[in-house]
Amino acid sequence: MRISTTGYLILGMLRLGVQTGYDIKRATDLSTIFFWSTSHAQIYPALKDLEEKALVAGRSEPRGKRPRRVYELTDAGEEALDDWLRRPEPATFEVRDPAALKLFFSDAIDRDDALAHVRAMRRRSERHLEEIRRESEPGAEALHDQGTRFPLHVLKIGLAVHQAIADRCAELERELEEEGRGGRRKARATRP
Amino acid sequence: MRISTTGYLILGMLRLGVQTGYDIKRATDLSTIFFWSTSHAQIYPALKDLEEKALVAGRSEPRGKRPRRVYELTDAGEEALDDWLRRPEPATFEVRDPAALKLFFSDAIDRDDALAHVRAMRRRSERHLEEIRRESEPGAEALHDQGTRFPLHVLKIGLAVHQAIADRCAELERELEEEGRGGRRKARATRP
DNA sequence: CAAAGCATGTAAATAGTTACATGATTTA
DNA sequence: TAAATCATGTAACTATTTACATGCTTTG
């Protein structure tokens, strides 16, 4: 009985008290999006699948005439989640960053065009930092104070990643700007 | 005529002088793997597709009896690559890190099990750092000295990312270890 | 002579996105 | 009353992985 990573994401969210497909989507957008994203087109079929496997139990709980399906973990679901949580994870870490790929090949284009890519990349990470702080951190801190600590711990890793990217891009921008103004000598002087 | 990101990766590698599907795979494993990975099962069909679109030209150039197909950019291919390189990129940045997801839900398991996940994560990034330095940096530096600078620039962003993860994990490990020994008061004291 | 590396491909399955489709309720 | 938000689903397409399949050449 194979459970996908998205399946475990759902089991985990249900244990944290999130109840519907819609809310799971919202919760992931706020909390796991920086290391695991999903769409509602994945969540609804996955919930069905987990229900067939008897790991979650769903019941209809409409709000007025608007249909709504509320899920909870079964004992088997809780066990499956715990097993997964305790199992060491194969060390995969995948990044898909088309902007970085573009930058990688940017020796073929004008310095100014390349510089624009670096700036866009820095701004992207700065935007992410701001977003995490504004949208995600308050919730993570509230959870932390109630004894659920790891969401905040993981969030801080995300912040560190984007801070590192923003910093490195800022440095690269300075390097490229200096090269543009002063030529080779100055650019070299900053290296050691 | 839509070209996939993997398609542009191939066009870019061809311009850097890489000639065969096999070598493109090897080159990506050494250089783009930390922000864009592929498998040979994607590369060979993509090369075919690019050839149909007349963006690359392939010819058979066997080594002895071992078949081998050598590709080069056509003028149209060069143009398509340049257009893409100059086009600003939609700011997508996706990470798939199941270990981080596990850590996110780790309030439900023993502190020692959670600590093991943090350690595994730190070691993973340390391994990546070492690998990049050993396997990728020398080549990127050689390219840099020949005037192809951006591969090294991008590599440094990758190093910064994994350094940030390793650092943050190390700090979290200390926090969790201290909590384990001394209880709440000490752990809180390190926070501000 | 065995193992590692060179070299190319395809098939099947899984994962994931985007678009389609619908409609209720709340808020400005 | 229009827009935003709540709420759930499916279909078609694209992307990606894993396994299958083959065979040559170099190196230890």
Side-chain angles (χ1 to χ4, degrees):
Chain A
M1 192 180 57
R2 218 236 144 202
I3 302 167
S4 68
T5 306
T6 299
Y8 287 114
L9 169 63
I10 291 172
L11 295 180
M13 285 296 175
L14 291 178
R15 178 141 66 186
L16 286 181
V18 180
Q19 300 201 88
T20 66
Y22 187 83
D23 287 337
I24 290 171
K25 166 65 175 143
R26 287 237 312 317
T28 58
D29 282 350
L30 284 176
S31 58
T32 69
I33 194 168
F34 294 104
F35 50 92
W36 198 277
S37 64
T38 10
S39 60
H40 81 264
Q42 270 182 284
I43 290 170
Y44 290 112
L47 275 168
K48 231 181 214 177
D49 175 61
L50 290 170
E51 195 166 18
E52 271 165 34
K53 288 172 174 152
L55 302 172
V56 307
R59 60 180 191 283
S60 185
E61 211 165 88
R63 292 282 212 237
K65 278 178 193 163
R66 193 197 288 151
R68 184 163 161 274
R69 210 170 159 75
V70 168
Y71 290 90
E72 56 185 355
L73 283 181
T74 63
D75 290 347
E78 194 129 357
E79 207 189 306
L81 176 57
D82 282 341
D83 284 353
W84 177 71
L85 283 177
R86 273 190 268 269
R87 210 153 53 222
E89 190 67 16
T92 65
F93 176 83
E94 272 178 58
V95 180
R96 298 256 124 180
D97 183 355
L101 190 60
K102 207 166 265 199
L103 198 59
F104 183 87
F105 294 120
S106 284
D107 286 289
I109 57 173
D110 287 347
R111 206 200 53 254
D112 285 347
D113 288 331
L115 193 49
H117 291 320
V118 183
R119 281 193 189 117
M121 219 167 145
R122 172 175 53 78
R123 284 202 208 102
R124 182 187 64 184
S125 278
E126 286 169 352
R127 223 160 37 236
H128 284 330
L129 287 169
E130 213 189 288
E131 235 176 82
I132 298 175
R133 288 198 177 108
R134 203 183 52 235
E135 314 272 1
S136 313
E137 205 164 23
E141 258 160 7
L143 275 178
H144 185 274
D145 292 344
Q146 292 158 32
T148 302
R149 312 272 231 303
F150 282 93
L152 185 59
H153 292 324
V154 175
L155 180 149
K156 282 182 180 174
I157 299 176
L159 287 174
V161 165
H162 283 290
Q163 192 63 60
I165 295 175
D167 290 349
R168 210 54 219 56
C169 284
E171 204 178 317
L172 180 52
E173 281 171 56
R174 282 194 299 276
E175 245 177 272
L176 293 173
E177 278 160 4
E178 206 151 311
E179 248 179 64
R181 275 199 306 279
R184 198 62 41 86
R185 201 153 13 98
K186 276 215 154 166
R188 293 241 157 183
T190 60
R191 264 215 287 158
Chain B
M1 190 180 57
R2 218 237 144 201
I3 303 168
S4 68
T5 306
T6 299
Y8 287 114
L9 168 63
I10 290 172
L11 295 179
M13 286 296 176
L14 291 177
R15 179 141 65 185
L16 287 181
V18 180
Q19 302 201 86
T20 66
Y22 187 85
D23 286 337
I24 290 171
K25 166 65 175 145
R26 285 235 315 318
T28 58
D29 282 349
L30 284 176
S31 58
T32 70
I33 194 169
F34 293 104
F35 49 94
W36 198 277
S37 64
T38 11
S39 60
H40 80 264
Q42 269 181 285
I43 291 170
Y44 290 113
L47 275 167
K48 231 181 213 179
D49 175 62
L50 291 170
E51 194 165 20
E52 270 165 35
K53 288 171 174 152
L55 302 173
V56 307
R59 60 180 192 282
S60 183
E61 212 165 87
R63 292 281 212 236
K65 278 176 193 167
R66 191 197 291 150
R68 183 162 161 274
R69 208 168 160 76
V70 167
Y71 290 90
E72 57 186 352
L73 283 181
T74 63
D75 290 346
E78 194 129 0
E79 209 189 305
L81 175 58
D82 282 340
D83 285 353
W84 177 72
L85 283 177
R86 272 189 270 268
R87 210 151 55 222
E89 190 68 14
T92 65
F93 177 82
E94 273 177 57
V95 179
R96 298 257 125 182
D97 182 355
L101 190 60
K102 207 166 267 200
L103 199 59
F104 182 86
F105 293 120
S106 285
D107 286 290
I109 56 173
D110 287 347
R111 207 201 53 252
D112 284 349
D113 288 332
L115 193 49
H117 291 321
V118 183
R119 282 195 187 115
M121 219 167 145
R122 173 176 53 78
R123 284 203 207 102
R124 181 187 66 184
S125 277
E126 285 170 353
R127 223 160 37 235
H128 284 330
L129 287 169
E130 212 189 288
E131 234 177 84
I132 298 175
R133 289 199 176 107
R134 202 183 53 234
E135 314 272 0
S136 312
E137 205 165 23
E141 257 160 8
L143 275 177
H144 185 274
D145 292 344
Q146 292 158 33
T148 301
R149 310 272 229 305
F150 282 93
L152 185 59
H153 293 324
V154 175
L155 179 148
K156 282 182 182 173
I157 299 175
L159 287 174
V161 165
H162 283 289
Q163 192 62 60
I165 295 174
D167 289 350
R168 207 60 219 49
C169 285
E171 204 178 317
L172 180 51
E173 281 171 56
R174 281 194 299 276
E175 247 177 88
L176 294 173
E177 279 161 4
E178 207 152 311
E179 247 180 66
R181 273 199 305 279
R184 197 63 41 82
R185 199 148 20 93
K186 273 216 153 163
R188 295 238 155 185
T190 61
R191 267 216 287 158

